[in-house]
Amino acid sequence: MWKPPAPPPDPEWIVATAPVRPALPGFRVLAGGLASGLLAAALLTEGLGVNVLLWALIGAVAAGLAAAAAGRRVRPWTVVWTVAALVLLLVPALVEASWPVVLALLAAAGAGSLALHGGKRWPGVLLGPIGIWPHLIPGLGWALLSLRNRQYPARARVVSIVKAAGVSLALLVVFGALFASADAAVAELLGDLAPSVDTDDLPMQVLLFLAGLLVALAAAHTAAGPRRFDRLPVKPGRARGRLEWAVPLVALNLLFGAFVAVQAVVFVGGYESVMRKPGMIPAEYARQGFWQLLIVTLLVLVVLALAGRWAPRSTPRDRAMAKTLLALLCSLTMVVVASALYRMHRYVDNFGLTRLRISVATVEIWLGVVLLLVLVGGILASSRWLPRAVVLSAVATTAVFGLISPDAMIAEQNVHRYEQTGRIDVGYLRDLSADAVPALDRLPQDQRICALQKIAQDLGDDQLPWYATSLAEARAREILRDRPVPLMNGSCGRIGVRLGSSYSGGYEY
């Protein structure tokens, strides 16, 4: 008799990282998921603020209950990742600009997922931040299976009451609609009796309810049975011969040493002496040099990863040589990072701070921190902490970047530069968010009005609820209420700012 062929075995990585099948959730976990959905529908419809943090706390409670029921213990790094996620969720409550808020929300989701999974090795800390998403549908099925298999008090009676109520409601709606269409007096009576429900936001509220429910149940399902990414098999790299491995690194260190020596000579002699050479444009020198050095830093991290994988390690002498060469490369690259940041500082002094410039400078600073961590990890006998430290540094950098309010810093730097030099790009500052209002409010009359007009129009007169409003927006509204900005008075034209044809609103053109 013919038999169907056996299904192929699961890949090795799926078998190795397979989670323990979690027990069905209790009522408290299910109630936490339901509360998360209701809170998302009630608070997240109108905007982002402290409501995101409140919603996340409910989901964290549900995940904690599921983890406790599964017998998982709270470890120090679980607390670290949880606190990091909650700090990141403070950004929407304090900052109005959408771009740092989006970065903070993504980083918070990653840190929260990593808190649920744990992880010490590189596979764990790199895959843990995205590990919660495959639990969205299984988490819902997990909850439904629990509801189906659970025995409730007076279950038959409750089911009968629900069925009777549903049939009664359907009959009343059908026949009530027919009677209302047949007689105007009945229609008026039914209209007075029926409760008034605002359905404008109903579709969005339903979507937010489902999203809040799914995320909370996914977090609980992950906490009860996470996939063990740390068990992902990673074959060690084949150690190369000492000559084959060391010569390229020695050559690279010599090249970096020569660059650092030139930078030292230039720094001692002063950048101005270099800038006075024929054909040398200071702005181009600083801007192009920064981007090239940023790429150099990224490539060095790749070289360090590959060199660490292929480094000879069979004898103490081989290990000492590998540590020495890699530590020297890290140290020289940190000088490259300092040079890149100094060039960006010079460029910003000449042309002002922008979103792109502050973003890439932040990335360069973070890369410098990573290099420092790698250097310390190479010096110490053990670097088991390195994967988590690198990811934590990225999370911390994102949190600091959001909490310092980049738009406010951009406005503050440009206003200070204007007070020193009289130069300012008001046309660019018009596109900043409400975070920039306190600094832009210090500008002279025409510059102030032109810079704040678009922000004032974007804020409008509609005041959002406290839980959906950032502190920066509330502060901006207070400033603009005390010193209103006229929408049409020719201020931009008087200071030479031309508004693009795509610009719309009640302003001047």
Side-chain angles (χ1 to χ4, degrees):
M1 183 177 179
W2 179 85
K3 293 183 179 180
D10 291 330
E12 182 183 359
W13 70 270
I14 291 182
V15 175
T17 62
V20 177
R21 185 175 182 180
L24 294 178
F27 278 114
R28 291 184 297 176
V29 174
L30 297 176
L34 182 61
S36 174
L38 293 174
L39 198 65
L43 299 184
L44 300 182
T45 305
E46 298 183 82
L48 300 181
V50 73
N51 49 9
V52 182
L53 180 59
L54 297 175
W55 167 72
L57 286 173
I58 298 296
V61 169
L65 292 172
R72 296 187 64 191
R73 293 181 298 170
V74 178
R75 301 182 182 276
W77 274 100
T78 303
V79 177
V80 170
W81 296 124
T82 303
V83 171
L86 296 178
V87 170
L88 284 162
L89 292 178
L90 284 175
V91 175
L94 302 176
V95 177
E96 182 63 21
S98 59
W99 57 297
V101 167
V102 171
L103 288 175
L105 292 178
L106 292 175
S113 179
L114 197 51
L116 299 172
H117 284 88
K120 299 178 181 179
R121 299 170 57 235
W122 282 111
V125 298
L126 293 180
L127 296 176
I130 60 174
I132 189 175
W133 303 116
H135 289 263
L136 287 176
I137 303 303
L140 180 61
W142 182 57
L144 293 176
L145 185 61
S146 175
L147 291 174
R148 180 180 178 182
N149 293 347
R150 195 173 295 276
Q151 295 296 325
Y152 305 98
R155 178 175 179 174
R157 183 175 299 177
V158 171
V159 173
S160 299
I161 293 174
V162 171
K163 289 181 178 179
V167 173
S168 300
L169 180 61
L171 292 174
L172 288 175
V173 170
V174 172
F175 286 98
L178 291 173
F179 283 133
S181 61
D183 190 284
V186 174
E188 184 177 357
L189 176 62
L190 292 177
D192 293 336
L193 293 176
S196 60
V197 179
D198 185 9
T199 59
D200 291 341
D201 294 331
L202 186 59
M204 179 58 68
Q205 289 175 332
V206 171
L207 289 176
L208 288 173
F209 170 78
L210 293 175
L213 178 66
L214 286 175
V215 171
L217 291 178
H221 188 260
T222 306
R227 185 169 287 277
R228 302 296 184 179
F229 293 112
D230 261 357
R231 298 174 182 172
L232 188 69
V234 178
K235 296 180 180 179
R238 182 175 65 87
R240 308 291 177 175
R242 185 180 302 170
L243 183 66
E244 177 186 0
W245 178 87
V247 169
L249 273 186
V250 169
L252 193 59
N253 277 318
L254 291 175
L255 177 62
F256 273 62
F259 176 83
V260 170
V262 172
Q263 294 303 297
V265 171
V266 171
F267 185 79
V268 172
Y271 269 84
E272 286 73 12
S273 61
V274 177
M275 295 301 101
R276 285 194 292 267
K277 293 183 179 181
M280 184 68 70
I281 303 175
E284 284 296 311
Y285 181 81
R287 181 174 63 84
Q288 290 184 356
F290 173 84
W291 287 105
Q292 292 161 355
L293 296 181
L294 176 63
I295 295 173
V296 165
T297 308
L298 289 169
L299 291 178
V300 165
L301 289 175
V302 176
V303 170
L304 289 172
L306 296 177
R309 185 172 173 82
W310 293 332
R313 48 188 175 269
S314 56
T315 65
R317 184 178 178 182
D318 286 338
R319 292 191 290 271
M321 181 186 66
K323 284 188 175 183
T324 301
L325 291 177
L326 294 178
L328 181 59
L329 183 59
C330 284
S331 302
L332 294 173
T333 308
M334 290 179 67
V335 179
V336 173
V337 171
S339 176
L341 291 174
Y342 183 73
R343 289 166 188 253
M344 178 56 72
H345 170 70
R346 302 276 304 188
Y347 191 67
V348 167
D349 278 347
N350 280 279
F351 297 97
L353 191 61
T354 65
R355 288 175 170 175
L356 177 61
R357 293 164 195 167
I358 193 174
S359 299
V360 294
T362 302
V363 171
E364 183 73 16
I365 293 173
W366 174 66
L367 293 176
V369 172
V370 173
L371 286 168
L372 180 61
L373 292 173
V374 173
L375 178 61
V376 174
I379 294 174
L380 298 178
S382 174
S383 59
R384 295 179 59 186
W385 52 269
L386 184 60
R388 288 180 290 191
V390 170
V391 176
L392 181 60
S393 70
V395 172
T397 301
T398 306
V400 172
F401 183 73
L403 293 174
I404 64 173
S405 184
D407 276 11
M409 181 174 289
I410 292 168
E412 182 66 36
Q413 192 275 341
N414 280 276
V415 170
H416 178 74
R417 177 172 167 269
Y418 173 76
E419 293 169 347
Q420 300 295 319
T421 65
R423 294 177 296 173
I424 191 170
D425 187 355
V426 176
Y428 178 81
L429 299 179
R430 285 171 60 90
D431 292 325
L432 297 179
S433 65
D435 302 327
V437 170
L440 299 180
D441 188 57
R442 305 203 315 262
L443 290 171
Q445 184 70 2
D446 284 339
Q447 285 85 351
R448 173 186 180 274
I449 292 175
C450 183
L452 292 177
Q453 280 178 336
K454 189 172 184 293
I455 298 175
Q457 188 195 35
D458 290 341
L459 290 177
D461 298 326
D462 297 333
Q463 184 78 38
L464 295 175
W466 64 270
Y467 54 79
T469 304
S470 66
L471 180 63
E473 180 181 337
R475 186 185 298 117
R477 287 184 182 277
E478 182 180 354
I479 292 173
L480 295 175
R481 183 170 56 250
D482 294 339
R483 298 181 62 191
V485 174
L487 299 184
M488 298 182 65
N489 70 343
S491 296
C492 289
R494 285 194 294 271
I495 62 175
V497 175
R498 297 181 59 185
L499 304 180
S501 57
S502 61
Y503 182 80
S504 61
Y507 303 160
E508 58 213 289
Y509 289 84

